[in-house]
Amino acid sequence: MKNPNRGRVYRRCACRGADGRQLGARCPKLTNRKHGAWTYAVDLPTLDGKRRTRRRRGFATKADAQVAMSKVLKYERIVIVIDDRQTVADYLVSWLRTKASTLKPTTMANYHAYIHKT
């Protein structure tokens, strides 16, 4: 079983240094509680075996970021794929591909027509 405690929650901001690069978690103004936003980062596996880090920021509190991160880890444990870049069309095509072996030919043809608007 994968480690359910993996991932990290931290505060960062979009301030830039003299070189024009973001300071992120190194910003000296982060000592002020109202400066910056809470962020989580967690490494998720991909189908090709490479590591992909999912980062989301903008949470008002550390607890909010921890809840969001735990939801992502829970979805991973129950094998729900979370991909913000996946479109509905891509999802439906992959869903139809997985269902193809269990559907009747006419149902498969109708679903294919619905998805591809033919």
Side-chain angles (χ1 to χ4, degrees):
M1 177 164 166
K2 295 181 169 100
N3 180 5
N5 298 320
R6 70 184 207 277
R8 53 209 175 275
V9 176
Y10 55 95
R11 220 171 60 197
R12 63 166 291 145
C13 70
C15 292
R16 297 190 178 270
D19 59 355
R21 298 178 75 171
Q22 279 193 356
L23 295 174
R26 298 171 295 143
C27 180
K29 295 180 185 176
L30 285 177
T31 55
N32 179 356
R33 291 182 342 166
K34 294 184 180 191
H35 187 76
W38 286 97
T39 306
Y40 75 82
V42 63
D43 293 331
L44 298 172
T46 60
L47 295 176
D48 59 2
K50 294 183 180 179
R51 184 178 69 182
R52 190 183 90 225
T53 302
R54 179 184 181 98
R55 290 182 183 87
R56 295 295 180 268
R57 69 181 300 257
F59 299 98
T61 65
K62 183 177 184 178
D64 291 343
Q66 287 174 329
V67 166
M69 184 179 71
S70 66
K71 188 183 292 187
V72 168
L73 291 172
K74 176 184 158 194
Y75 286 164
E76 180 200 6
R77 280 193 299 278
I78 58 177
V79 193
I80 295 177
V81 177
I82 304 170
D83 185 5
D84 295 340
R85 297 169 297 192
Q86 184 180 34
T87 64
V88 174
D90 291 340
Y91 170 77
L92 288 174
V93 167
S94 67
W95 174 81
L96 187 59
R97 196 176 305 122
T98 60
K99 297 298 264 180
S101 63
T102 60
L103 295 175
K104 293 180 180 177
T106 54
T107 305
M108 180 69 179
N110 286 335
Y111 285 176
H112 186 274
Y114 296 149
I115 291 173
H116 297 289
K117 297 190 236 179
T118 57

